[in-house]
Structures are given as structure tokens and as C-alpha cells.
Amino acid sequence: MDRILFGDNQFFGVNHASEDKARAQAMRFQDIEAVIGVLRDAYAEGIKTFMCTTHERMSGVCDYFRDNADKYPDYNFYPCMPYAHKYANAAAELGILGAVRSFLPDNNPLGALVKGGLSLARKDVEGLAKMLIDAEMKMFAGLKTPVVFLQNVATDFLLGLGFDEAFRIFADHIKDQYNAEPAFITMNAPRLYATLTKLGIKNPIICANINKVGFRMCGGIDAYAELLNNGDCRMVAMSIFASGALHPKEAIEWLTQYPKLRSVVFGASSRRNIAETKSLIDSLMPEAVAG
Amino acid sequence: MGLSHQSMVNAHPDLDLVAVCDTSTYVLDVLSKYTGVKTYTDHNVMLEKEQLDCLFVATPTRYHSQIVGAALERNLHVFCEKPFALNPEMAYKLAELAESKGLVNQVGYHYRFVGAFNEAKRLLDQQIIGDLHHVRAEAYGPVVLRPKGSTWRSQSAEGGGCLFDYSCHAIDLVNYLVGCPLSVSGSVLNRIFSTDVDDEIYSTFQFSPKLFGQLATNWSDESFRKMSVKISLWGSNGRINVDRQEVQIYLRSNKGLEPGLLTGWNVRNTTELTRPVWFYVRGEEYSAQIDHFAQCMKHRTPTASTFRTAAETSLVAAMIRADAGKARTSVDPASVGTTSPGAEQRDSSRFGIRSIFGRR
């Protein structure tokens, strides 16, 4: 895993601090070319991994990097699935079963359709989950996806339910089918780590909010510190600026107390901001201590 | 909805999830196989067989009163999803029943648990912007975007429609921040895509001789990524805009009421206003309201979103529906002794507007 990963919230008009800023970003990134332009800037600054929601808009970005593979030979995508709003909206309109049915492949060979129908009829969650994962991964075909994340809404919903088997199904399928590392985004890292450990998922990649003010660090900042210092896991810090509440230097200096922290993900819209944050991370926390 | 409640309840350290009840045996089978939870398809059987302290009700609205009533009769504390009941009569009846039995009761108006709205309430209670004279409550988002839909949300008889959904959230917040209006007028229930229910609602509220408000809600607006509720309040000493992310406060002068606030604009956002929760699934407020219910049960205290306040919200919604059918004042040129401008003239003026906006 790279030390610095590039995030995508800014491209979707997601801003936890202000609706106005969110809307301005949505307008700015209306055209997928604007998104690609920022990714090119990030690449020029040396950021070669894009942690990217499986939103259908991202297929344009995938097309670009596929078509220009010679210019970006070392570019990685870390897909984050599912794009939860898609499922939530479908479930509100079609019910839970209708929603699942609507996302099963319909233009695939007959085999997939029958397999989907059978999985549905047999309540074969494993079969269904694999097909939904495959549907989400389709747009990344031909691109490097060495790590695949389960989005926090899905992770935390399943974690709360105690639907632990789902994590094993996800992890196994990502390893077997995509030869990639399964990874998990969560707002409840200490609890998730305990569950993954119980399931025997070793040295998992866990991406969570890690910031000086403890914003969205459920379980408390001390439990996170314990995980960062002594956990048998690879931690990725997100929301390091706590949605703009912290100054970049202060935020990154605080992170340096956790030498085992593996990676940092951040999003930015301008080359200047990308360059500033990257150089702060490079100078203050050049690499993780092997854990 | 029910599944995310289950996830949060199951993860709560003070609550033991005993059983779940749903009509979908498919979903129940999957849940029981993978999470081991005990399942029922009939709530009466569940209430009969299980020793419960409380019940969370997250069914379509039309079943609320029957299920909530059955639970209260068995002396259970009840958390019910909004908009609580199909009509205010039933809502008040259930509120009285819960109160008479001393049972903890809560309705899932989760905006009451958003840090920014609570900060606005705290500031308003101090009369930081002076005497209020106007309140605007808006809610927009993408729910019904096509002339389609077969769930209960698209059926008026089942408590569907934007009035019961988005509008009730906005009304409940107004009631929470300012108080229940004394009257509603000029109400509009308009359809955009739906055939059986309303998609946008507008209404004018009066709270006192000098305090008025407006409601504007539309669940067919896909320019919003998800539901967005915003309340703007104007007072003699300034204004407050508040949504889930931030509170913007403009003060004509800070008379020393609130240290840290400046004359002019002040912004406080979610990062500083949100209190940590024990478990996060999809927003602190959803976790916080469940924890609040659990704590109120433990300490036998009233909740911050009771059946009674929810009944008041239902009452305002019902009054808007009744008002929407009333006569309106026509814009009639004859009433001022003139005739209507000709069609030709109107067309040319519209063309004029278009040509202005066409110049870029």
C-alpha cells in the first residue's frame, strides 16, 4: 500500500462541514474531465493510488486510465463498494428483495441470470454477495485494483447486526476472484477489529477516521490509540483534518505519534492543496514502522 | 429502516435485542440464519411469548397505532418511527395512553438529535437574535424522481407522500425550535411525479401576532444528494441559518449574551457540535436518538421527542392538508377596474426574459 492515497469525497459534493461547499464542489466536478484533471495533478505530485467509490460516474475515470495505461503504468485503484445510496434508494422504491434483484446482472450471459435467480431462491447470501461484488467491480476491469474496500455504511451496518459471516464472504471473494487484499472502511474501528480477529481475518486493512479531535472515532480515541500501537492490523487514516476543523500541519503532526500508521487518505480539489498536504506528509511522516 | 434500527440496537451496550418481527419471511430467514436473532411474523405472538421491556416500531405508518397500542397495553416502553400515526386523533390518544401509564415514549424525529439544530435551539432559547419575526423551514431531496413506485410511500392511505415524510421532519423541527404554529394558511399540496400522493408542500404559519413562518418541502429534487433540511430564522438582532452541517449566526450586536460570538457572521459546524456516539452506522443522530431512548428508560425520564410532540407535528400536517383545499384569492384585473393584458403582450414579455437569460 502506498503511504498516500487520494480520496474522492470532494468529487461527489460530500462535505461534512458545509452544504454550500458541497454544492460548489458538485458544480465544479459536474464534468468528469474536471475529476480526471485533479487526478492528473495528484499523479504529477506523486500520488498514484485513487481510493474510489463504485459510483457509476467513476466509470469515466476508469475509461481514461484504461485508455492511457502507458502514461500511468503504476496507477492503482482501490475500489470502495458499494455506493450505498444506490441501494438505499432502490430499497425505498422496490423493497429489499426488489433492490437486490435490480442489481443482479441482467445483460450477462444466461448462466449469471440463472445463478442469480437460484441464489435468491435458496437464500444463498454468499452466492448473491459474490454477484453483487462482481457487478460493482465490472468498471475496473483491466485496471490494477490491489486493494478493495467495503464501504463504512455496509461494514458498520453488518457489524451492528452481527452479520459477521458477510466479512468472511467479502474477504474470500476479493482474494479468490480478484487476487486483491480485502479491506474495510469503518467508523467503529476497535469493534470491527475485534470481530475480524474473531473471524480469523489476519492483519486486516482498516480505514477509519483518525484525527486529533476524535471526530467520528466511535469507541473513543484511546481505543484507536491502542489499535494503532498494538493492533495486528494495517490502519489507514481518513478524515485527518476532521472536515476542516484542523490545520493541516497540526493534524499531520498529531498523526506522527502513531509510527505504525500505514497510510493516509485525503481528498483535495486544487493542485496547490494536493502539493501542500503531500509535502507535509512526506516531511513529517515519511514511512510507517513495520508492525 | 427497521434493519438499521436492529443494527444499532444490537450494538448498544445497555440493550439486549430479544427478537425481531417482520412480514418478509425471506428477510427473517436470512437474519435468523446469519445473525441468530429470534424472529416472528406476527407482533401479537411476539408480544405474547417474549418478556420485553421495550419495542422499536419501524413499520409502514398505517400499522404504527395498532402495534404501538398493543405494546403500551402490555406496559412496554415504545420507540416509534415518524410520522407516528396516520391522524392526529390517534397520535394524541397514544400519547395519553403512554403518559397515563408512565411509559417512556419516543418518535424517530432524528433531527432533534443533530448537534447543529441543538446548538440553534440553545442560542434561540437565549434569544440571541432578539425577537423572532420570521422562520423558514425547507426540506429538499431525491425520493420520487419518476412517475413510478409501488411501496407504501407512494400510497396516501398508508401514510405516504411528501407531507407525511419530508414536511413532517421540517414541521417537527419548527415546533422544536420555535413552538407549534397557531394557524396555517395558503397551503399547497402539489404533485410532480406521483399519482396518489403529494410531492411538494408549501404553507404559511403564524405563531404569534408578530411571528410568521413558511414551509417549503419537495422530495422530487434530485439536485440534492440526500435529504437536506434547513431552517432560517430572522429576529430583531440578526439571523440564524441552520442545517445538519453548520449553524450560521449573524448578529447585529452581541450584547454579551454568548461569549465567543462576534457582531456579524459566525459559523459553528458539525465537527465541533457533534457529540461522540457509541456506535455509528449512518449519522450520529440515528445512534444518538436510540441511546437517548435507552437512557430515558434507565432513568425513567421523558424523551426529547415524545408521542405528544409528534402528535403536535401530525396535527400541523393535518391542518396543512385541510387548508390546501380552501379557496384562494384570485389575481383578477377586473377587481382593480382593468382588463387582462392580451396574450400577445404576455408572450412578448416572456420572450424578453428568455433573451436576457440567453445572453451569456
Side-chain angles (χ1 to χ4, degrees):
Chain A
M1 261 198 312
D2 283 346
R3 186 66 162 156
I4 302 178
L5 317 174
F6 201 63
D8 71 351
N9 265 354
Q10 69 280 16
F11 299 142
F12 293 105
V14 178
N15 186 303
H16 301 299
S18 156
E19 287 266 344
D20 292 338
K21 279 181 202 148
R23 185 176 299 111
Q25 285 172 337
M27 288 173 184
R28 164 146 185 232
F29 294 111
Q30 169 78 25
D31 185 349
I32 202 70
E33 285 303 320
V35 174
I36 292 167
V38 173
L39 293 174
R40 271 199 302 252
D41 286 346
Y43 187 82
E45 294 295 337
I47 302 176
K48 296 170 177 177
T49 299
F50 182 32
M51 210 171 140
C52 153
T53 308
T54 55
H55 189 290
E56 55 195 17
R57 285 195 72 212
M58 284 299 144
S59 64
V61 172
C62 293
D63 289 343
Y64 173 81
F65 281 93
R66 230 184 330 260
D67 295 344
N68 295 279
D70 50 330
K71 281 195 228 163
Y72 310 98
D74 49 356
Y75 204 71
N76 289 316
F77 282 84
Y78 288 2
C80 306
M81 67 173 64
Y83 178 62
H85 280 293
K86 183 173 74 175
Y87 289 91
N89 292 347
E93 186 175 359
L94 306 166
I96 293 168
L97 274 189
V100 169
R101 220 175 262 129
S102 78
F103 291 112
L104 288 175
D106 54 8
N107 52 357
N108 277 10
L110 189 64
L113 241 182
V114 172
K115 204 170 133 200
L118 274 180
S119 295
L120 206 57
R122 283 184 190 150
K123 296 168 188 164
D124 168 15
V125 166
E126 182 151 3
L128 278 176
K130 285 179 178 174
M131 298 194 69
L132 292 173
I133 293 169
D134 292 346
E136 300 271 328
M137 284 299 287
K138 224 170 133 188
M139 74 166 106
F140 299 97
L143 295 164
K144 290 192 188 113
T145 56
V147 175
V148 179
F149 281 94
L150 190 63
Q151 284 279 22
N152 57 290
V153 168
T155 305
D156 293 333
F157 168 67
L158 294 163
L159 183 65
L161 281 181
F163 207 126
D164 298 351
E165 186 66 7
F167 300 126
R168 193 199 52 76
I169 294 170
F170 174 78
D172 287 352
H173 191 58
I174 294 301
K175 272 189 250 166
D176 298 346
Q177 186 71 26
Y178 298 96
N179 196 25
E181 292 244 32
F184 305 88
I185 307 175
T186 182
M187 300 291 175
N188 309 283
R191 191 185 183 105
L192 176 70
Y193 175 70
T195 296
L196 296 180
T197 304
K198 197 176 71 191
L199 286 168
I201 296 176
K202 294 230 164 64
N203 195 21
I205 298 171
I206 297 176
C207 175
N209 278 21
I210 299 175
N211 54 64
K212 190 179 178 178
V213 292
F215 180 56
R216 293 208 173 134
M217 296 171 68
C218 293
I221 213 159
D222 294 343
Y224 276 68
E226 168 65 21
L227 208 53
L228 284 158
N229 291 326
N230 303 317
D232 181 19
C233 54
R234 289 163 286 172
M235 296 295 290
V236 178
M238 65 175 179
S239 207
I240 57 172
F241 306 131
S243 292
L246 291 163
H247 290 294
K249 187 151 185 282
E250 179 191 12
I252 293 164
E253 271 170 355
W254 182 83
L255 288 176
T256 59
Q257 67 182 300
Y258 301 114
K260 283 169 68 186
L261 175 65
R262 187 60 67 101
S263 301
V264 170
V265 57
F266 77 93
S269 303
S270 75
R271 179 140 183 193
R272 210 186 84 191
N273 282 347
I274 295 169
E276 277 176 11
T277 304
K278 169 128 191 336
S279 94
L280 273 173
I281 297 172
D282 285 346
S283 64
L284 294 172
M285 42 186 302
E287 51 190 290
V289 173
Chain B
M1 286 299 274
L3 281 170
S4 71
H5 293 80
Q6 186 182 338
S7 178
M8 287 179 275
V9 166
N10 193 47
H12 196 285
D14 297 341
L15 297 170
D16 282 326
L17 178 65
V18 177
V20 296
C21 180
D22 199 284
T23 51
S24 166
T25 51
Y26 190 99
V27 172
L28 290 178
D29 285 352
V30 170
L31 282 174
S32 128
K33 180 175 164 192
Y34 287 94
T35 73
V37 71
K38 206 186 262 186
T39 64
Y40 289 90
T41 51
D42 182 335
H43 66 273
N44 287 314
V45 177
M46 179 172 77
L47 293 176
E48 179 67 41
K49 286 199 174 167
E50 300 294 345
Q51 289 291 314
L52 306 173
D53 294 317
C54 70
L55 187 71
F56 287 81
V57 182
T59 63
T61 312
R62 83 170 146 126
Y63 303 110
H64 284 179
S65 48
Q66 183 195 342
I67 299 172
V68 170
L72 292 175
E73 292 298 348
R74 288 175 180 274
N75 295 313
L76 302 189
H77 307 295
V78 178
F79 178 104
C80 180
E81 259 316 316
K82 55 93 216 172
F84 193 31
L86 281 182
N87 58 64
E89 294 86 346
M90 186 52 83
Y92 278 110
K93 221 159 143 184
L94 291 169
E96 275 155 28
L97 181 58
E99 286 160 7
S100 71
K101 286 176 165 271
L103 295 166
V104 174
N105 55 91
Q106 189 173 338
V107 175
Y109 282 114
H110 56 261
Y111 286 100
R112 289 183 181 232
F113 295 88
V114 170
F117 289 115
N118 277 314
E119 174 69 358
K121 179 160 175 60
R122 193 181 67 79
L123 294 171
L124 288 168
D125 288 349
Q126 293 182 49
Q127 294 192 293
I128 196 105
I129 55 169
D131 295 329
L132 286 183
H133 53 86
H134 191 68
V135 184
R136 183 175 297 163
E138 298 165 278
Y140 307 108
V143 177
V144 175
L145 302 172
R146 287 176 285 161
K148 208 187 135 193
S150 52
T151 71
W152 63 271
R153 285 188 176 79
S154 59
Q155 311 292 322
S156 63
E158 298 203 20
C162 183
L163 177 64
F164 279 124
D165 197 308
Y166 275 30
S167 304
C168 278
H169 275 298
I171 295 165
D172 189 70
L173 262 181
V174 168
N175 289 359
Y176 182 52
L177 296 175
V178 180
C180 194
L182 301 174
S183 73
V184 302
S185 60
S187 306
V188 174
L189 268 62
N190 199 21
R191 290 175 186 179
I192 303 169
F193 299 115
S194 296
T195 49
D196 192 42
V197 296
D198 44 86
D199 295 320
E200 60 178 349
I201 285 90
Y202 304 95
S203 188
T204 299
F205 297 167
Q206 183 168 10
F207 301 87
S208 73
K210 286 190 166 178
L211 174 57
F212 293 84
Q214 280 171 333
L215 173 78
T217 57
N218 171 357
W219 72 0
S220 298
D221 183 348
E222 70 169 2
S223 71
F224 287 82
R225 197 171 61 90
K226 54 183 185 180
M227 182 186 188
S228 170
V229 178
K230 181 179 175 181
I231 311 283
S232 313
L233 307 108
W234 284 261
S236 53
N237 189 42
R239 107 181 239 200
I240 291 179
N241 300 329
V242 53
D243 62 23
R244 190 176 178 277
Q245 326 291 3
E246 62 184 342
V247 193
Q248 302 168 339
I249 308 134
Y250 183 91
L251 295 182
R252 294 182 64 197
S253 96
N254 182 17
K255 294 164 287 190
L257 280 171
E258 169 80 5
L261 286 186
L262 306 170
T263 297
W265 282 109
N266 301 267
V267 179
R268 289 181 172 173
N269 71 31
T270 182
T271 324
E272 54 181 314
L273 300 174
T274 304
R275 269 186 266 158
V277 292
W278 87 99
F279 186 72
Y280 180 108
V281 176
R282 58 188 194 123
E284 281 88 357
E285 63 271 37
Y286 297 97
S287 301
Q289 67 175 356
I290 285 176
D291 181 57
H292 176 74
F293 180 65
Q295 301 314 319
C296 288
M297 279 195 289
K298 203 192 265 181
H299 304 293
R300 292 298 179 112
T301 47
T303 67
S305 177
T306 59
F307 285 1
R308 184 161 294 276
T309 61
E312 285 166 2
T313 297
S314 292
L315 178 62
V316 175
M319 294 304 109
I320 289 173
R321 184 176 291 287
D323 179 56
K326 289 196 178 144
R328 301 177 198 286
T329 309
S330 297
V331 177
D332 180 8
S335 70
V336 292
T338 184
T339 54
S340 166
E344 194 186 328
Q345 201 182 331
R346 266 187 295 179
D347 275 355
S348 68
S349 78
R350 275 213 299 272
F351 180 70
I353 288 169
R354 205 161 45 222
S355 64
I356 291 167
F357 285 110
R359 229 186 291 146
R360 294 288 274 268

